[in-house]
Amino acid sequence: MATVSIPSKGIVLDQEREVTSALAAIGIDYECWSLDRVGVDADADAVLTAYAAEIDAMKAQGGYTTADVIDVNPETPGLDAMLAKFSTEHTHDEDEVRFIIAGRGIFHIHPLGGDVTAIEVEAGDMIRVPRGTRHWFDLCSDRRIRAIRWFQDKSGWTPHYTHSGIDSNFEPLCLGPAYLGPRVQTSL
Ligand SMILES: [Fe+2]
């Protein structure tokens, strides 16, 4: 179950109906899916087979042509460089669609004219960030995530950086009780 935080308003949401509603209001699709189809450590082909119905439904709904399984952990070669590509505000030319099988991460969404909204995702969460949405992403402290991804065209999933700097105002810490809110700016 995802946790949603709007730091500027002091709001934290962790009930499915509230989370879904708050995310829909900023254009983010969110659903809780069953995790009992396959073991979290099953190989990628087994995962794709187990979720074939959902994968095909999403393809039909969003025009996605391919799906794969991404699996990163602290031992993944080049992990820091990989994470750095996505931890500052950017957009994509296609949707960013993920179903989390294991691990945790945090999306920050920067809606047009709206407050930055943090979404901590965990196993069982399906999230769709529409193309053009300003956002950034960090892993949680265990630096582990496994997810199904959908693509319209993988070449469209390159980041276009906004260079706004707004991401530096938010701690890349996961939400929950330890979340510290906006980072305190210093002159150092
Ligand atoms: Fe992204």
Side-chain angles (χ1 to χ4, degrees):
M1 181 68 220
T3 303
V4 166
S5 170
I6 307 174
S8 63
K9 294 182 175 176
I11 291 173
V12 177
L13 307 173
D14 59 7
Q15 301 299 308
E16 183 174 355
R17 184 178 296 182
E18 293 177 327
V19 164
T20 304
S21 173
L23 295 183
I26 56 172
I28 307 298
D29 289 337
Y30 171 78
E31 295 176 6
C32 287
W33 287 6
S34 169
L35 281 166
D36 59 7
R37 303 285 181 80
V38 67
V40 295
D41 294 322
D43 65 36
D45 285 343
V47 170
L48 294 173
T49 298
Y51 287 97
E54 286 85 354
I55 289 169
D56 288 347
M58 292 289 287
K59 284 180 176 176
Q61 187 181 30
Y64 311 117
T65 58
T66 59
D68 69 5
V69 176
I70 184 169
D71 194 349
V72 301
N73 59 63
E75 283 75 47
T76 298
L79 179 59
D80 286 333
M82 182 191 305
L83 294 176
K85 283 180 67 177
F86 303 112
S87 63
T88 57
E89 188 179 72
H90 61 273
T91 64
H92 303 285
D93 292 334
E94 71 166 63
D95 301 346
E96 185 164 328
V97 192
R98 304 288 183 265
F99 171 58
I100 313 301
I101 301 166
R104 288 173 172 270
I106 179 167
F107 287 89
H108 280 88
I109 307 293
H110 184 194
L112 283 174
D115 297 295
V116 170
T117 300
I119 311 162
E120 181 180 336
V121 292
E122 64 177 8
D125 294 330
M126 189 290 294
I127 183 170
R128 171 163 37 197
V129 180
R131 67 183 71 182
T133 302
R134 297 176 300 182
H135 69 283
W136 62 97
F137 178 81
D138 296 277
L139 287 181
C140 294
S141 57
D142 62 357
R143 291 159 64 85
R144 163 95 170 106
I145 202 155
R146 191 167 199 226
I148 298 175
R149 310 185 293 183
W150 285 258
F151 298 95
Q152 284 138 345
D153 175 352
K154 281 192 176 180
S155 67
W157 198 65
T158 51
H160 302 301
Y161 298 107
T162 67
H163 304 290
S164 70
I166 191 169
D167 41 85
S168 65
N169 294 331
F170 295 85
E171 284 284 1
L173 295 175
C174 291
L175 310 175
Y179 185 58
L180 301 177
R183 177 178 295 160
V184 176
Q185 295 289 324
T186 73
S187 58
L188 297 175

